[in-house]
Each structure stands twice: as C-alpha cells, then as structure tokens.
Amino acid sequence: MPIIATAGHVDHGKSALVQALTGTDPDRWAEEKERGLTIDLGFAWTTLKGTSVGFVDVPGHERFIKNMLAGVGAVDCALLVVAADSGWMPQTEEHATVLNLLDTPRGVIAVTRSDLVDRETVELATLEILEEVEGTVMSDWPVVAVSSVTGEGLEELRGHLAGQIDVDREFHEPTRMWIDRSFSIRGAGLVVTGSLARGSIRVGDEVEVLPEGTICRVRGLHRHEESVDRVRAGERAAVNLVTDGSPDISRGNLLVTPSSVGTTQRFTAMMQPARSFTEIPKRGAFHLHI
C-alpha cells in the first residue's frame, strides 16, 4: 500500500484536504481540534483507482518540524499544499527544502482554498509555485487547484496522485520500519506504528529494536484498524510487541530483522546547506535526522 504524506505551511488546509480525499479527520488529539492546528502526525486511508493508499498528515507549524520529518521520511509520494489566498510562505519553503533534501521521488502540488479567490489569483499563485520549485525535485510535479469545501479539483487531484503511486516494493529483503508512534494498550501491552519501508512482518516473528538491540516477538498486527497476519513493505502497520520488561521504545527507533543491521556512533557525511542558508553556522546545537 503506497504512502502519501502532506507538506506545507501551517493553516494552509492540509488536514482539511486529507479529510476531503479520505473522509477521515487526521487530527487525533483534542488540543488539535480545539486549536485548529495539527501538532502531531495524523493518519488516514482511502482507495485511489482501485489501490489502497495511506495518508500521513504532518504539522505545518515551525515548532513541530521534527514531527514533520518523522512523517515524510519513508513515503512514496508527497502532497505539497499551498493556499491560493496566501501563496508561498516560510514553512512552505522549509517543507519544500526538506522534500528536496530527502530527494522525494514523486509528488503533487495542491493549490488549496481556490474557492476563496478569483481565477486570476489562482493562476498567479500557481506561477509563483512554479518559480519556487524550479531546479528542485518538485519541478515536474503536477499542480492542481482544489477546494476542500466545494470539491473543485478533487477528482483531478485523485487522478494525479493515483498516477504517482505505482511503486515496486521488495518484500523479501530484511525488515525495516522506522517507528513514529509508541504506546501501551490495556490487555495488549506495547504497540508501535510506522510505515514498512522494506520486507514484511508476520505474527510470531522475532524483531529487533535499534539502537538498543531489544529482541521482541510480534504478538499481533493491525492495518487500517483491522487485524492481519502479515504486513508488507509499503504498508502502514501497528505492531503489538511482546518484550522482556519495559524497554524504552519511542519515535525514531528502528524495527528490523534481528542481526540484519549494525549500529555505529560515527559516520562520514557530505553537508550541503539548504538554499535558504548561505552557509552552515559554525556554532550552535543541531538535530540530526536520518
């Protein structure tokens, strides 16, 4: 099942668009609904041209960029959202930079809130977007004007998204799943969720959680809130784990086939500043996203 992740400035209509496409409100927390602001990752799913597709809705506010990164790291397609009545904004630039640095292979750009402006404004917003993405991985992505309120452009958007998600997956490779949520359920115990990047997981399998190296057994699997015996690469999964004791497993840990991945505390990297920076600062604290 291909995974599509949203991206874009805060309050440009990402969650409303996901709800219009899927019928599911991706905002899960009461605080998100009270504030009208996505804080953490949201999830939804639908069918596009006969293919089951999962959506990861990411926050647009600059304070939650780490949550955004957790959502877009292992996706097949990005949905970059730009509001027609606001245009290209600071977090649009930030999220577009992330997508470019991650070399996101496929995507579509949605010009939202087209019902709030006239056609000329939509055309101007589209021209601005095309100028901003020139020279990036997004330069040849389709651009579609849509309205989550009136439904204008949604079918065209669905068609473009369907055309971007024809992805071949290797199911026989060792398992790789970056964990983006971890929580406990009464009577079941520890549950972790994520998008399976490689391989497959079956009920009863042993898996390893890195970097701690904790060995766990898979007690149960859920996909789209339904119990299943197996999940495969390209699908979102909730994995119920049996562990010894109470290991500290959280977002950012990696679920793998045991002994298939080594760990290290050193690596060599090429550093390239994003286009909004002239150079990498020589002082300061930095977060590393892998």
Side-chain angles (χ1 to χ4, degrees):
M1 179 186 66
I3 306 297
I4 299 171
T6 63
H9 192 77
V10 61
D11 202 29
H12 272 209
K14 295 184 295 298
S15 299
L17 183 57
V18 171
Q19 185 168 4
L21 290 169
T22 67
T24 300
D25 183 358
D27 286 340
R28 297 177 289 121
W29 307 117
E31 184 181 358
E32 293 179 312
K33 297 183 185 300
E34 290 170 4
R35 297 171 62 182
L37 174 71
T38 300
I39 296 172
D40 205 351
L41 301 178
F43 307 101
W45 55 88
T46 190
T47 300
L48 295 176
K49 304 294 185 181
T51 300
S52 294
V53 178
F55 280 83
V56 179
D57 185 39
V58 309
H61 197 283
E62 61 181 341
R63 290 174 53 194
F64 307 117
I65 187 65
K66 287 188 291 183
N67 292 350
M68 181 271 181
L69 281 163
V72 300
V75 300
D76 303 298
C77 175
L79 177 56
L80 180 61
V81 174
V82 185
D85 58 340
S86 300
W88 197 270
M89 297 289 280
Q91 269 62 64
T92 314
E93 174 66 24
E94 193 169 59
H95 285 200
T97 297
V98 168
L99 295 175
N100 193 51
L101 290 174
L102 291 175
D103 199 23
T104 306
R106 297 174 177 86
V108 180
I109 301 173
V111 185
T112 54
R113 300 183 179 178
S114 61
D115 57 303
L116 299 180
V117 297
D118 57 29
R119 184 176 298 276
E120 183 179 357
T121 303
V122 172
E123 292 175 353
L124 289 173
T126 301
L127 288 173
E128 179 189 27
I129 291 166
L130 292 174
E131 289 179 2
E132 293 289 353
V133 301
E134 186 176 356
T136 71
V137 295
M138 297 156 282
S139 60
D140 59 351
W141 291 5
V143 181
V144 185
V146 299
S147 168
S148 301
V149 175
T150 68
E152 178 188 1
L154 290 182
E155 281 307 310
E156 183 182 356
L157 178 59
R158 288 189 180 98
H160 283 299
L161 289 171
Q164 298 279 10
I165 57 175
D166 185 15
V167 181
D168 291 327
R169 292 285 190 174
E170 182 52 68
F171 304 134
H172 304 294
E173 293 182 337
T175 296
R176 301 282 188 277
M177 188 184 90
W178 291 102
I179 294 171
D180 54 36
R181 293 177 66 205
S182 175
F183 52 92
S184 294
I185 296 179
R186 186 186 298 274
L190 179 66
V191 176
V192 299
T193 71
S195 301
L196 201 58
R198 297 183 188 176
S200 64
I201 304 175
R202 294 180 182 272
V203 173
D205 282 354
E206 280 197 340
V207 291
E208 183 178 7
V209 181
L210 297 176
E212 290 83 358
T214 304
I215 300 296
C216 308
R217 180 174 60 83
V218 178
R219 172 186 286 163
L221 293 167
H222 275 73
R223 181 185 62 218
H224 293 182
E225 299 182 353
E226 293 184 354
S227 180
V228 293
D229 294 326
R230 182 189 186 192
V231 292
R232 305 193 300 176
E235 297 178 336
R236 278 202 61 80
V239 187
N240 183 198
L241 298 175
V242 179
T243 64
D244 292 330
S246 301
D248 183 17
I249 298 176
S250 59
R251 173 176 293 171
N253 288 163
L254 181 63
L255 196 71
V256 302
T257 301
S259 303
S260 65
V261 176
T263 60
T264 183
Q265 293 183 340
R266 296 171 182 241
F267 62 92
T268 301
M270 297 287 290
M271 298 185 70
Q272 175 184 345
R275 64 180 181 177
S276 54
F277 295 91
T278 56
E279 62 180 359
I280 298 171
K282 296 179 181 178
R283 300 181 62 186
F286 300 91
H287 288 283
L288 177 68
H289 174 76
I290 299 178

